[in-house]
Amino acid sequence: MSRSPLSPTPSGSSGSDAAAGELPDHTEVVRRFNRSYTQRIGVLEESFLGLGMPLGTARLLYEIGVEPGTTRDLRVRLDLDSGYLSRLLRRLQSDALVTVEPDPADRRRRRVGLTAAGRQAWDELERRSADRARDLVTPLTGRQRARLAAALAEADLLVRAATVRLELTDPTAPEALAAVEAYTAELGERFPGGFEIGDLAEEPERLRPPDGAFMVATSDGSPVACGGVQALGGGVGEIKRMWVRPGWRLAGLGSRLLRHLEGVARELGHDAVRLDTHGSLTEAVAMYRRAGYREIERYNDNPHAEHFFTKNLH
Amino acid sequence: MSRSPLSPTPSGSSGSDAAAGELPDHTEVVRRFNRSYTQRIGVLEESFLGLGMPLGTARLLYEIGVEPGTTRDLRVRLDLDSGYLSRLLRRLQSDALVTVEPDPADRRRRRVGLTAAGRQAWDELERRSADRARDLVTPLTGRQRARLAAALAEADLLVRAATVRLELTDPTAPEALAAVEAYTAELGERFPGGFEIGDLAEEPERLRPPDGAFMVATSDGSPVACGGVQALGGGVGEIKRMWVRPGWRLAGLGSRLLRHLEGVARELGHDAVRLDTHGSLTEAVAMYRRAGYREIERYNDNPHAEHFFTKNLH
DNA sequence: GAAACTCTCTGACTAAGATCAGAGATATGT
DNA sequence: ACATATCTCTGATCTTAGTCAGAGAGTTTC
């Protein structure tokens, strides 16, 4: 039986695992990386040890330091049982690292914050974590460090992009509004003459089932992409308000979103989709072409649109 | 400008750590990666859950499946207390997943292997772990997957290289012999006419303190690089038997080892070092030049050497 | 102002992870 | 052959992690 695909040397022995004819899905590379990286770096966690407090407590302290809040916030963020949290907090409190006081807004809740000593302990956690990262990097030469940083940044971007979840969102929901706000803010920068698009909440039913749909992608709580489908009639759908946060465009999130929206349009019973865009959004125009869209005549009177596209869904 | 160029989120709070004038040491990239990666991928560990056995047990089972061995091996590999290991093994044994029998070579030890049922459970662990990796990759397009794989492979190589430990090793120790064996095997392939270098164990005292030193770098237990320093007399040292496992040469391990050996030579009181090499080892020759070595006349009668170098240590 | 609900806390409990000090068996060096 | 070292196992013990049920304080709804 062959060696484990996770074999320890980098010498290409793992490359042979993918049988000759298969398409590479690269999962082996991911697994190999996971294994060696977690083994060597020991994850973030380890730097939380050795402060004379158990891991869970340190994690909680860290989280409080990142952003103080109510016990409820912390429970949700760390997914803890309320009884367990209560005990952890009491321990931190008795070590004089955190303050716990009733929330004036709702006196059932408690607000949690760091004391001066707690801030100090938090800094220590930060320092350890940074030290660990530095330990990893120091044996390398400057060029190698740069290569490592570039590789990790690239991997980070792609992993983030891969783990973004596209979610059907009501156009009036706060996440949807936040996404569209970011969208219009960006357009506003591009067209200083003043830019005006209809408020998303104006006709929300057009972007809501059963007539349409609106998708928002969030990462770490903030919107990174959005887009909707509405009906134009005659079996034709229209893709609207498609936007991807600038830093995320390199990761192909746009095409993924577009593909998804086409699928939604198909489910809504459309045979084709159209969309319009401004000529200055060159990346977007290129992406539409790559995705199989062809340019057509103006089909609406949107003053900001210069290019009009269509794609057959069958 | 202080923002990371690839930073997809506006979070900013972490980016400001690197003050404007500092040289980038890239620790922020590493930390950022650690945080987001562990958060999203949840490490390898998670795929070990849900088999009806606790994490530690699953980890042990997995390790046995990767490479069966004696209890001692496992204890070292997983860094477990012997009592703890004993109990974990007993549990696996009572579930009929592993066989434990005395090692015929040393009847104090026990050999541990998987039963058929154990192999099946191991396959299940493998499958889960692979599934998790695949889940990560599937949302990406083919090109993005290739980019991710390339980035992770690059990061993996560099991380491995960075975490390799160079250790002063006695020339007669098994790791040293293993390294030199790999070295001569490779040279044997390059020079099919037959290749003969003196056995390392012949004059071990020359490569041993106080006259010399021999360093071996191991990764996951197998040697990946080696090299020694011996005295030539007159304040001159000689670097001998320097070798880096092929797959590791891209990661700059050679220069790191060379730099280290120069430091050792300096500590041994030498003012300069020499070395010889064969002309066909073009990468090596280039590396020596890059490291500040200049070519000199032949200073010995090594029939395999064609190039001779020296470097001043002060 | 009572009912229903929300939130935190306490006590009781369990499993898992981990460490330590020997006992007993086996191997090695002199 | 003896002392010494090595190795695994057992029993005892401890901390951490995590769960559950309900008490008690506070808030919202009608």
Side-chain angles (χ1 to χ4, degrees):
Chain A
M1 172 63 197
S2 69
R3 293 262 324 200
S4 155
L6 297 165
S7 77
T9 71
S11 54
S13 61
S14 72
S16 54
D17 289 332
E22 280 172 33
L23 274 177
D25 70 352
H26 301 295
T27 60
E28 272 317 316
V29 180
V30 175
R31 295 189 62 201
R32 179 181 163 75
F33 174 82
N34 278 353
R35 191 166 152 81
S36 91
Y37 196 76
T38 56
Q39 197 178 62
R40 270 154 245 265
I41 312 311
V43 217
L44 184 66
E45 313 286 274
E46 265 181 36
S47 54
F48 279 8
L49 296 169
L51 262 191
M53 81 180 73
L55 185 75
T57 317
R59 198 152 34 190
L60 175 60
L61 177 68
Y62 186 79
E63 203 61 36
I64 295 170
V66 169
E67 190 175 340
T70 64
T71 44
R72 177 135 219 284
D73 295 339
L74 294 168
R75 245 182 46 222
V76 171
R77 267 152 67 191
L78 290 169
D79 188 31
L80 295 175
D81 173 82
S82 68
Y84 188 24
L85 174 62
S86 176
R87 260 173 274 266
L88 291 178
L89 274 179
R90 202 169 40 202
R91 159 146 196 187
L92 287 173
Q93 208 177 356
S94 79
D95 290 350
L97 298 174
V98 302
T99 56
V100 182
E101 47 198 26
D103 183 350
D106 180 343
R107 311 220 0 259
R108 289 171 304 184
R109 296 185 184 165
R110 316 236 136 171
R111 304 211 117 263
V112 183
L114 295 185
T115 63
R119 175 57 59 184
Q120 219 169 319
W122 189 86
D123 288 343
E124 172 69 15
L125 288 178
E126 275 282 293
R127 207 181 54 68
R128 277 165 185 264
S129 163
D131 282 353
R132 262 191 90 68
R134 208 179 339 269
D135 287 348
L136 173 65
V137 154
T138 37
L140 298 175
T141 65
R143 270 192 52 214
Q144 289 165 28
R145 288 181 201 185
R147 277 172 60 197
L148 179 61
L152 289 182
E154 165 106 338
D156 189 36
L157 178 65
L158 287 162
V159 166
R160 282 168 190 268
T163 53
V164 152
R165 289 209 333 250
L166 297 175
E167 269 170 302
L168 182 66
T169 308
D170 191 277
T172 59
E175 309 90 59
L177 297 176
V180 171
E181 192 183 340
Y183 171 33
T184 53
E186 190 190 340
L187 287 175
E189 278 181 23
R190 293 220 186 199
F191 309 117
F195 186 85
E196 193 70 38
I197 66 169
D199 191 337
L200 190 65
E202 252 174 28
E203 289 185 288
E205 61 283 349
R206 294 198 66 192
L207 286 171
R208 193 147 55 191
D211 296 332
F214 193 74
M215 311 294 304
V216 176
T218 56
S219 176
D220 290 328
S222 62
V224 297
C226 69
V229 181
Q230 65 186 24
L232 284 183
V236 178
E238 183 177 25
I239 288 177
K240 295 284 288 180
R241 307 281 161 79
M242 193 164 141
W243 166 79
V244 177
R245 170 162 301 192
W248 289 72
R249 284 172 196 165
L250 292 170
L253 192 52
S255 352
R256 200 175 132 206
L257 176 60
L258 187 59
R259 241 177 306 139
H260 188 89
L261 290 174
E262 291 165 8
V264 170
R266 213 175 286 124
E267 277 172 28
L268 290 169
H270 301 306
D271 303 315
V273 285
R274 290 182 190 164
L275 57 85
D276 64 29
T277 188
H278 192 276
S280 75
L281 303 169
T282 47
E283 319 93 312
V285 169
M287 187 192 70
Y288 295 136
R289 289 193 204 282
R290 255 201 329 274
Y293 284 71
R294 68 186 167 76
E295 194 148 7
I296 53 171
E297 289 295 300
R298 175 181 283 274
Y299 67 85
N300 65 20
D301 54 1
N302 177 351
H304 299 291
E306 293 176 341
H307 294 271
F308 301 83
F309 290 94
T310 191
K311 180 178 180 179
N312 205 311
L313 295 181
H314 296 295
Chain B
M1 177 52 221
S2 64
R3 287 274 309 270
S4 158
L6 290 166
S7 145
T9 75
S11 58
S13 59
S14 69
S16 52
D17 289 337
E22 279 173 35
L23 274 177
D25 69 352
H26 300 296
T27 60
E28 268 316 313
V29 180
V30 175
R31 293 190 65 200
R32 177 179 166 78
F33 175 82
N34 280 354
R35 231 172 288 144
S36 90
Y37 197 75
T38 57
Q39 194 178 62
R40 267 154 247 265
I41 312 310
V43 218
L44 185 65
E45 313 287 274
E46 265 181 34
S47 54
F48 279 9
L49 296 170
L51 262 190
M53 80 180 76
L55 185 73
T57 317
R59 197 152 35 190
L60 175 60
L61 177 68
Y62 185 80
E63 204 60 39
I64 295 170
V66 169
E67 191 174 340
T70 63
T71 44
R72 178 132 218 282
D73 295 339
L74 294 169
R75 244 181 47 222
V76 171
R77 268 151 69 191
L78 290 169
D79 188 33
L80 295 175
D81 175 83
S82 68
Y84 188 23
L85 174 63
S86 177
R87 260 172 274 268
L88 291 178
L89 274 179
R90 204 169 40 202
R91 160 146 195 187
L92 287 173
Q93 208 177 357
S94 79
D95 290 350
L97 297 174
V98 303
T99 56
V100 182
E101 48 198 26
D103 182 349
D106 180 342
R107 312 226 350 264
R108 288 172 304 186
R109 298 185 183 165
R110 314 236 136 171
R111 305 211 116 265
V112 184
L114 296 185
T115 63
R119 176 56 60 184
Q120 219 169 319
W122 189 85
D123 288 343
E124 173 68 15
L125 288 177
E126 274 283 291
R127 207 181 55 67
R128 279 164 186 263
S129 162
D131 282 353
R132 262 191 89 67
R134 206 177 342 266
D135 287 348
L136 172 65
V137 154
T138 37
L140 298 175
T141 65
R143 271 192 52 215
Q144 289 164 30
R145 288 182 202 185
R147 277 172 61 197
L148 178 61
L152 289 182
E154 165 107 337
D156 189 37
L157 178 65
L158 289 162
V159 167
R160 281 167 190 268
T163 53
V164 153
R165 291 207 332 249
L166 297 176
E167 270 170 301
L168 182 66
T169 309
D170 191 277
T172 59
E175 310 90 57
L177 298 176
V180 171
E181 192 183 341
Y183 172 32
T184 53
E186 192 191 340
L187 286 174
E189 277 179 25
R190 292 220 186 197
F191 310 117
F195 185 83
E196 195 68 38
I197 66 169
D199 192 337
L200 189 65
E202 252 173 32
E203 289 186 287
E205 61 283 352
R206 297 198 65 191
L207 287 171
R208 195 147 54 190
D211 296 333
F214 193 74
M215 311 293 304
V216 176
T218 55
S219 177
D220 291 327
S222 61
V224 297
C226 69
V229 181
Q230 65 185 25
L232 284 183
V236 178
E238 183 178 24
I239 288 178
K240 296 284 288 179
R241 308 281 160 79
M242 192 166 143
W243 166 78
V244 177
R245 171 163 299 191
W248 290 73
R249 286 174 195 164
L250 293 170
L253 190 52
S255 353
R256 200 175 133 208
L257 177 59
L258 186 59
R259 242 177 304 139
H260 188 89
L261 289 174
E262 290 165 8
V264 170
R266 212 175 287 124
E267 278 173 29
L268 289 170
H270 302 305
D271 303 315
V273 285
R274 291 182 191 166
L275 56 85
D276 63 30
T277 189
H278 192 276
S280 75
L281 304 170
T282 47
E283 319 93 312
V285 170
M287 187 193 69
Y288 295 136
R289 290 193 204 282
R290 255 201 330 274
Y293 284 72
R294 66 185 170 78
E295 195 149 4
I296 53 171
E297 290 295 299
R298 173 181 285 274
Y299 66 86
N300 66 20
D301 55 0
N302 178 350
H304 299 291
E306 293 175 342
H307 294 272
F308 300 83
F309 291 93
T310 191
K311 180 179 181 179
N312 205 313
L313 294 181
H314 297 293

